Amino acid sequence: SLRPSIYYRPINPTDLDRLEQIHRDIFPIKYESEFFQSAVNGIGIVSWAAVDRSRPDGHSDALIGFVTAKFVLAKDSEIDDLIRYDSLKEEETLIYILTLGVVETYRNHGIAMSLISEVIKYASGLSMCRGVYLHVIAHNNPAICLYKRLMFRCVRRLNGFYLIKRQHFDAFLFVYFLNGS
Ligand code: ACO
């Protein structure tokens, strides 16, 4: 088989159906259509897509992975106590990763690693950005290993954070500190 040649680009409106489909396939949580609209139109959401340029049949620009994130003011975030920031600088921010996914047949090729690296690279270039953080369900070993490998720090375990089919699950809170935090 052909060796995949993976390329990273922003998510755009042509990705809408595919983005929704992959979220439905791989997450146990239902996301509202408003979330997908905001993601593909870049309204309050920054995102990256992974595509396989070597894919035939006109699928060379179709999503095979994605990461979506949003800005949160450091002072309003749940980790304000962990961030060394200047309380007078109202505009200091954090980036919160909303969703990350890679379609099953493309896993274990380092694509998630590259997607998260894109987020960190982007955040590092913003002088007002103090870090990148996210929640992950406590039993998601692949994702937890990924964040640890990328030097995220696990700072909290949140009891019953997720409610899925009327059952509560704990979450870990991971942070990648930036710019002196
Ligand atoms: N078991 C253990 N560690 C794993 C696994 C696994 N199955 N998969 C990835 N990792 C870890 C490893 O440390 C790996 O590095 P290594 O292979 O050099 O040891 C590292 O992650 C990077 O692996 P990638 O190949 O970059 O990861 P991949 O592209 O396969 O995507 C992902 C990983 C996103 C977790 C994928 O399995 C997936 O889409 N899962 C379903 C959706 C999901 O769980 N998303 C994350 C939820 S958290 C959130 O969205 C904020």
Side-chain angles (χ1 to χ4, degrees):
S1 69
L2 278 172
R3 203 184 144 66
S5 77
I6 310 302
Y7 180 85
Y8 301 88
R9 60 162 176 77
I11 291 177
N12 68 54
T14 66
D15 295 317
L16 183 62
D17 292 347
R18 183 90 182 123
L19 188 69
E20 288 202 55
Q21 180 69 54
I22 306 176
H23 276 72
R24 264 200 306 276
D25 290 347
I26 69 178
F27 293 117
I29 293 167
K30 188 182 180 293
Y31 292 90
E32 299 304 321
S33 69
E34 199 188 323
F35 163 70
F36 298 108
Q37 285 295 342
S38 305
V40 301
N41 292 300
I43 301 164
I45 294 186
V46 284
S47 65
W48 286 263
V51 301
D52 178 1
R53 286 279 191 254
S54 63
R55 245 178 110 182
D57 338 313
H59 286 299
S60 65
D61 199 47
L63 285 201
I64 51 129
F66 58 83
V67 60
T68 65
K70 67 174 181 179
F71 284 94
V72 176
L73 285 174
K75 66 178 168 68
D76 297 341
S77 78
E78 65 190 291
I79 52 166
D80 64 325
D81 56 322
L82 300 174
I83 302 293
R84 195 181 309 135
Y85 65 96
D86 184 346
S87 55
L88 295 175
K89 288 193 187 143
E90 292 278 308
E91 66 275 33
E92 295 207 294
T93 63
L94 293 164
I95 288 186
Y96 178 69
I97 294 180
L98 294 158
T99 61
L100 165 75
V102 173
V103 304
E104 222 166 324
T105 49
Y106 281 92
R107 289 186 190 164
N108 299 307
H109 284 84
I111 294 172
M113 195 93 104
S114 298
L115 286 164
I116 298 295
S117 300
E118 291 288 331
V119 179
I120 291 172
K121 194 167 51 171
Y122 170 74
S124 318
L126 307 169
S127 61
M128 287 302 161
C129 189
R130 299 276 80 105
V132 178
Y133 74 109
L134 57 92
H135 293 104
V136 57
I137 200 161
H139 57 72
N140 188 345
N141 279 321
I144 290 164
C145 290
L146 165 75
Y147 299 129
K148 285 184 173 164
R149 268 213 71 189
L150 283 164
M151 309 305 285
F152 277 73
R153 286 205 256 148
C154 186
V155 297
R156 243 165 240 162
R157 185 180 181 117
L158 302 165
N159 230 306
F161 180 84
Y162 289 106
L163 181 61
I164 299 165
K165 292 180 182 151
R166 285 184 276 148
Q167 233 193 301
H168 288 278
F169 298 91
D170 294 355
F172 290 120
L173 178 60
F174 277 90
V175 187
Y176 186 97
F177 293 100
L178 274 175
N179 299 322
S181 278

